[in-house]
């Protein structure tokens, strides 16, 4: 038998030897990783979209708030107290401010505003805290009472003034209406009063009654939210130590509500200083008895006393800033301490 040679396993020179793929380790070398890093995009900065979003609001505030404040301040130093087109506007310094401060009507208006603000603050804080303490215990019908207390806030000052103008009518005797008629019918005629129509130094207390009725519910809501934000564990611990309910409110709850009380005072105070519509609807813009700087401002604009009206508006702004700016600084410091 012829010998059969075993088949050769070595490739012939004409056949290429396949190369094995390099093992993939899942990692690239240092040079390859450096070359694989994506180049940073050269687009707009990250703050630009946010800035463009608030830019319309910045423009509107700059034009309709800060520009007008500066324009009003400049007008207060001019002689623009006439509607005549022949008047040559010129700089007169603090003459408008001096005339206002020497005007008995204007100083009386600031006294009226002081009495109104004090009565407004005391009344709203008193009734608001009392209602908040009563509702804080979650009594039956809490939702109903909360709605009753908050309902006056839904009524505009003008609508409230129409009703209160009838209630506080100065008519007495057989022509009495409103509260005077009520006092007469129940045998308390001695309580009849001319209310804000009298020339008393404290007639603005009566003027504050509609505002107290309308905003006491707002103060109640602030304090009620503050009470509900305090942990019940603190009260239980105080009760276990033998503390009475009065001491719990006095030494535990109320001290923690001091920021709420400060916010309420600032809000009510600056609302009182700028109050116009309620007083205008009750007493009119030209009333000396119940006039405040805001109503005098309207009267000055109506008689084309632009320079004095601008000075009056500037003084109101300064007084409001005296109360609001320290509050803003205080809240900012508190937020920094809390890391907000």
């Amino acid at each position: 038998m012829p010998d059969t040679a075993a088949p050769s396993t070595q490739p012939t020179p004409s056949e290429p030897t396949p190369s094995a793929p390099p093992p993939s380790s899942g990692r690239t070398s240092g040079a390859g990783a450096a070359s694989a890093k994506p180049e940073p995009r050269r687009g707009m900065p990250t703050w630009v979209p946010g800035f463009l979003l608030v830019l319309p609001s910045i423009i509107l505030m700059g034009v309709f708030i800060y520009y007008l404040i500066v324009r009003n301040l400049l007008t207060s130093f001019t002689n623009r107290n006439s509607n005549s087109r022949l008047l040559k506007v010129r700089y007169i310094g603090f003459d408008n401010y001096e005339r206002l401060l020497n005007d008995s009507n204007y100083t009386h208006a600031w006294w009226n505003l002081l009495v109104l603000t004090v009565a407004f603050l005391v009344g709203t804080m008193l009734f608001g805290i009392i209602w908040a303490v009563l509702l804080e215990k979650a009594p039956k019908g809490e939702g109903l009472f909360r709605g009753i207390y908050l309902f006056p806030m839904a009524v505009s000052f003008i609508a409230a003034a129409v009703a209160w103008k009838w209630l506080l009518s100065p008519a007495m005797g057989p022509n009495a209406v409103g509260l005077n008629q009520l006092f007469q019918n129940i045998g308390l005629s001695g309580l009849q009063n001319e209310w804000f129509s009298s020339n008393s130094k404290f007639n603005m207390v009566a003027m504050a009654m509609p505002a107290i009725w309308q905003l006491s519910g707002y103060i109640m809501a602030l304090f009620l939210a503050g009470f509900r934000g305090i942990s019940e564990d603190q009260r239980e611990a105080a009760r276990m130590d033998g503390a009475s309910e009065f001491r719990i409110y006095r030494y535990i709850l109320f001290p923690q509500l001091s920021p709420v009380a400060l916010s309420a005072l600032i809000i009510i105070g600056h609302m009182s200083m700028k109050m116009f519509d309620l007083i205008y609807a009750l007493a009119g813009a030209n009333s000396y008895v119940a006039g405040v700087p805001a109503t005098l401002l309207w009267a000055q604009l109506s008689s084309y006393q632009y320079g004095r009206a601008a000075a009056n508006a500037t003084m109101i702004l300064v007084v409001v800033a005296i109360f609001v700016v320290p509050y803003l600084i205080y809240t900012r410091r508190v937020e920094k301490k809390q890391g907000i």
Side-chain angles (χ1 to χ4, degrees):
M1 294 179 64
D3 294 333
T4 57
S8 175
T9 59
Q10 296 180 356
T12 61
S14 60
E15 296 177 357
T17 304
S19 59
S24 58
S25 61
R27 298 180 182 178
T28 59
S29 61
S35 61
K37 285 183 179 180
E39 295 183 359
R41 296 181 179 179
R42 296 181 178 179
M44 65 175 62
T46 56
W47 59 269
V48 173
F51 176 75
L52 294 177
L53 184 64
V54 301
L55 182 60
S57 299
I58 294 176
I59 295 175
L60 292 175
M61 290 180 60
V63 173
F64 293 101
I65 296 180
Y66 298 106
Y67 168 75
L68 294 181
I69 290 176
V70 174
R71 185 65 182 271
N72 177 84
L73 180 62
L74 296 177
T75 304
S76 67
F77 295 118
T78 64
N79 63 334
R80 291 192 60 191
N81 292 312
S82 174
N83 194 35
S84 175
R85 296 184 178 180
L86 301 177
L87 176 67
K88 184 179 180 180
V89 179
R90 58 185 177 85
Y91 175 80
I92 59 174
F94 290 90
D95 183 66
N96 289 321
Y97 295 91
E98 292 178 1
R99 287 177 178 269
L100 285 177
L101 295 177
N102 292 327
D103 186 359
S104 61
N105 290 343
Y106 191 68
T107 54
H108 181 73
W110 277 104
W111 168 257
N112 286 343
L113 181 60
L114 176 63
V115 177
L116 174 67
T117 302
V118 172
F120 191 24
L121 287 173
V122 173
T124 51
M125 295 294 289
L126 178 62
F127 286 104
I129 292 175
I130 291 175
W131 292 345
V133 171
L134 294 177
L135 295 181
E136 191 263 338
K137 298 294 184 181
K140 293 183 178 180
E142 176 191 352
L144 175 62
F145 288 108
R146 189 167 60 237
I148 293 174
Y149 296 150
L150 289 174
F151 171 75
M153 288 186 59
V155 182
S156 67
F157 271 129
I158 297 296
V162 172
W164 279 92
K165 190 173 184 178
W166 176 82
L167 288 172
L168 299 178
S169 173
M172 292 184 288
N175 299 324
V177 295
L179 292 180
N180 284 342
Q181 184 180 16
L182 174 64
F183 293 148
Q184 183 176 347
N185 293 337
I186 62 177
L188 297 176
S189 301
L191 296 179
Q192 290 183 339
N193 201 300
E194 294 183 358
W195 306 110
F196 62 87
S197 300
S198 65
N199 200 18
S200 171
K201 290 184 177 181
F202 301 99
N203 63 331
M204 297 303 292
V205 175
M207 182 68 73
M209 291 171 59
I212 294 172
W213 169 79
Q214 196 158 13
L215 289 174
S216 293
Y218 175 70
I219 302 301
M220 175 212 69
L222 290 179
F223 277 95
L224 186 60
F227 281 130
R228 297 287 168 83
I230 299 176
S231 174
E232 186 67 24
D233 297 338
Q234 301 182 33
R235 311 185 194 203
E236 292 298 330
R239 293 189 183 101
M240 293 180 64
D241 290 339
S244 62
E245 289 297 317
F246 175 79
R247 290 181 175 271
I248 291 175
Y249 279 98
R250 170 66 179 84
Y251 295 104
I252 298 178
L253 301 183
F254 282 131
Q256 299 185 58
L257 296 181
S258 56
V260 177
L262 179 60
S263 300
L265 288 173
I266 295 298
I267 293 172
I268 296 299
H270 96 272
M271 288 182 64
S272 174
M273 292 180 185
K274 299 187 301 182
M275 189 178 298
F276 168 79
D277 43 3
L278 177 65
I279 299 174
Y280 183 84
L282 283 174
N286 298 314
S287 174
Y288 169 81
V289 175
V292 294
T295 57
L296 290 185
L297 175 62
W298 178 263
Q300 290 165 344
L301 291 174
S302 301
S303 58
Y304 310 109
Q305 300 179 31
Y306 300 117
R308 291 170 193 162
N312 186 8
T314 302
M315 294 179 68
I316 296 174
L317 177 63
V318 170
V319 173
V320 172
I322 290 174
F323 291 93
V324 174
V325 171
Y327 167 73
L328 297 178
I329 296 175
Y330 167 77
T331 54
R332 182 57 182 167
R333 289 178 178 176
V334 172
E335 290 175 357
K336 282 187 176 181
K337 290 181 179 180
Q338 297 177 352
I340 299 178

